[in-house]
Amino acid sequence: MTGQVPFHMAAIAHPGRGHINAMMNFCRLLSNRGGFHISFIVTEEWRSILSSDPPPPPCVQLCTIPNCIPSERVRAADRNGFMDAVLTNMEEPFERLIIEQLETPVQAIVSDTYLPWVVEVGNRRGIPVCSLFPMAACFFRALDNYHMLPVHVPTTDSIAEFNDEPLEQYIPGLHPLRSSDLNTLHTLKQWKKILQYFPWVKKPQCVLFTSFYELESDTIDLIKQQLPCHVYPIGPCIPYLQLNAVSNPDQDYYLTWLDEQPKKSVLYISLGSFLSVSQTQLEELAYVFNEFPNFN
């Protein structure tokens, strides 16, 4: 596409490490195809955080909106307040940025599914929106059909408690998940907030899933039947192109170590960016590793 004006796309992720990583890796994949100029929009704080990451491709420009949400340093202390801020405080500065402050008109937007107001902005401004869901398609289907699940919640601040039953008996396409797999994810207030905005998921031009069709074919087929927009499973948005391009001694060491371990003997635990390990939990992990040296 040499000589042609690049296609200008704005990208914005939910302000959490797992969401931002997925969106950035998606933009890296697009950049390899050529012909794009991507305005990657984050808060000022997140731009500072990303300064320690590998730099994005030349066609991806970091653009900022003000710090209108709780800081990464304190957001876990009030998850409800953080979610409220993301859903209410970011829309106005985002719209002002893409309409008034960028040098060239935005021709399309790729936004995180957890930012439903972006679809509203796109509809108002006549800009097509693609929604990127950076989690399993089966979780999307559970959210979209949440009203079909039996749930017991004692109070609005309690974690939603589901019976330990196969989800597929309520929502087809979710085998082998069980309803208890949804426990501890959100309080009732958080579920209600998510579900309040989830109908907007059906209004973008397409929904992108960071999953393989072969991995969740039944679920994705059912989502395609349920959504009025296009649905595309695009595969995992991980930096595998970067990993293949540069030899890293630490990376080589870990891969060699993993290859040497017995099959199914390694347990990987990720707590996400909202949770932190307590001193008691650290001590428990240390006990396990000391008492069971063959447990890797």
Side-chain angles (χ1 to χ4, degrees), residues 273-294:
S273 55
F274 259 109
L275 301 177
S276 58
V277 179
S278 68
Q279 182 64 33
T280 301
Q281 290 170 322
L282 278 175
E283 291 173 358
E284 184 69 18
L285 286 172
Y287 170 80
V288 170
F289 291 134
N290 286 331
E291 293 296 315
F292 305 97
N294 293 327

Side-chain angles (χ1 to χ4, degrees), residues 59-94:
C59 70
V60 179
Q61 179 183 5
L62 292 178
C63 304
T64 60
I65 59 174
N67 292 324
C68 52
I69 57 176
S71 169
E72 284 294 296
R73 296 187 296 272
V74 300
R75 67 169 185 157
D78 182 11
R79 192 172 182 183
N80 290 332
F82 178 78
M83 292 180 66
D84 287 341
V86 169
L87 290 170
T88 58
N89 295 354
M90 294 177 66
E91 179 177 350
E92 188 274 333
F94 168 80

